[in-house]
């Protein structure tokens, strides 16, 4: 079976970190005989500059064809005043929606060498390994009605939180399946105390747990309490499952537990395609970081680890994924730090390219 990959570097530091991923891909080709059919295209502001739309229809069609999409980042101050319908973020949301990537996996793992880089105490985060499963194709991000209109002399902004049973059930199943292979625990987060959609979320998740996954321990938490518990005692969690908006917020919190947003990968998975592989897109959790763009100092690790997730979840190459992840760990253990990780004394400050040099060297030694 061939392995096709569509790379969408996007904006800001997206192209910089993607350049490093391409080096990892080339290394695997040269040293492990693992080959990918790589194509590349535009998304976000870069696509808007070229085509007047943040995602060209041809790019969307290509994304539907490949085994996996790898996306860098979208957005930047240059595009802040664009009409909402053509903002860079719309390109990303279209990919998620049209590929029906309902399960967004955001692992937050604290690498030993970085336990000091977290803003939390060492003991609170050392050894942390949690997985946030965020629903990605529904909820307030896509619900109708939405928009801004005028009522008398007031303007009114509207968005709608809407979930159906099947939308909740399928993402709940993804979370339970992951929990079975991990610590055996799922914590579901919503606001059932104030939102009907939260009540439905809680009931449907419980039903799936009772009927299909009695061996997994299921608990429920209000999302605000969940946010607090994530910084108080994050190691109490194994898998967290939550809706689109709460998942967006809670995963940023979880990211900081690991030391830097520059460390966190993600996988967005949909239904299996004809070849049995799931529809999939992989992207770092961090954004386009306009403040550091073009300086060669962006941390490439989140994007490299996103590619490692592609190896694991799309291409069934768990051992190759381990090789990449262990190399990242080893480079960090040697004290190499991009500036975002230099929050504690010690360590050797390196740029984007040097960090990848070190990771590739560790892969060669392994
Ligand atoms: C994320 C981002 C996106 C989101 C933005 C860029 C649209 O914050 O992937 O977490 O809100 O989903
Ligand atoms: Mg976000």
């Amino acid at each position: 079976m061939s392995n096709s990959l569509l790379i969408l570097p996007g904006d800001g530091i997206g192209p910089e970190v993607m350049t490093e991923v391409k080096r990892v891909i080339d290394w695997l080709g040269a040293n492990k005989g693992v080959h990918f059919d790589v194509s590349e295209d535009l998304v976000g502001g870069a696509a808007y500059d070229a085509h007047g739309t943040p995602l060209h229809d041809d790019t969307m069609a290509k994304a539907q064809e490949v085994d996996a999409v790898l996306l860098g980042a979208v957005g930047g101050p240059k595009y802040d005043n664009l009409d909402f319908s053509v903002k860079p973020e719309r390109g990303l949301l279209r990919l998620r929606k049209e590929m029906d990537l309902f399960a967004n996996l955001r692992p937050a793992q604290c690498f030993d060498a970085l336990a000091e880089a977290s803003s939390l105490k060492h003991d609170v985060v050392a050894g942390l390994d949690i997985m946030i499963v965020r629903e990605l194709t529904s909820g307030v991000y896509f619900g109708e009605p939405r928009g801004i209109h005028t009522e008398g002399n007031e303007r009114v902004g509207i968005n709608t939180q809407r979930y159906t049973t099947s939308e909740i059930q399928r993402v709940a199943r993804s979370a339970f399946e992951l929990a079975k292979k991990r610590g055996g625990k799922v914590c579901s987060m919503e606001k059932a105390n104030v939102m009907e959609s939260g009540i439905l979320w809680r009931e449907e998740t419980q039903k799936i747990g009772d009927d299909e996954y009695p061996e997994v321990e299921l608990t429920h938490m209000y999302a605000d309490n969940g946010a607090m518990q994530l910084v108080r005692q994050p190691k109490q969690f194994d898998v967290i499952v939550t809706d689109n908006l709460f998942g967006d917020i809670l995963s940023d919190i979880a990211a900081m537990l690991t030391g830097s947003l520059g460390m966190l990968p993600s996988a967005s998975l949909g239904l299996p395609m004809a070849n049995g592989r799931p529809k999939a897109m992989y992207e770092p959790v961090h954004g386009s970081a306009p403040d550091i763009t073009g300086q060669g100092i962006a941390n490439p690790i989140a994007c490299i680890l996103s590619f490692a997730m592609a190896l694991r979840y799309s291409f069934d190459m768990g051992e190759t994924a381990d090789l990449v992840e262990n190399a990242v760990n080893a480079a960090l253990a040697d004290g190499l730090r991009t500036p975002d990780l230099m929050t504690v004394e010690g360590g050797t400050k390196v740029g984007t390219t040097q960090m990848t040099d070190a990771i590739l060297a560790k892969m060669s030694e392994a």
Side-chain angles (χ1 to χ4, degrees), residues 74 89 92-93 96 106 134 141 248 283 285:
V74 295
E89 289 78 7
L92 176 60
L93 295 176
R96 291 174 178 174
R106 300 192 159 186
R134 167 190 177 191
Y141 272 60
D248 180 44
E283 48 179 315
V285 172

Side-chain angles (χ1 to χ4, degrees), residues 308 310-313 315-326:
L311 294 171
R312 198 179 295 287
Y313 293 104
F315 301 112
D316 202 18
M317 298 181 190
E319 279 178 27
T320 315
D322 287 343
L323 176 72
V324 176
E325 288 166 1
N326 291 339

Side-chain angles (χ1 to χ4, degrees), residues 288-355:
S288 59
D291 52 322
I292 59 162
T293 297
Q295 297 174 34
I297 58 171
N299 186 347
I301 292 179
C303 203
I304 291 173
L305 291 177
S306 297
F307 173 64
M309 288 188 89
L311 294 171
R312 198 179 295 287
Y313 293 104
S314 282
F315 301 112
D316 202 18
M317 298 181 190
E319 279 178 27
T320 315
D322 287 343
L323 176 72
V324 176
E325 288 166 1
N326 291 339
V328 167
N329 210 350
L332 292 170
D334 274 0
L336 297 189
R337 303 280 184 269
T338 42
D340 56 299
L341 302 175
M342 291 293 291
T343 44
V344 280
E345 296 283 299
T348 314
K349 195 159 157 179
V350 296
T352 311
T353 317
Q354 292 153 291
M355 182 59 101

Side-chain angles (χ1 to χ4, degrees), residues 4 10 19 47 77 116 121 140 144 152 217 247 268 272 358:
S4 58
T19 298
E116 303 297 338
K121 290 197 189 86
V140 78
E144 301 279 350
E217 179 193 320
S268 306

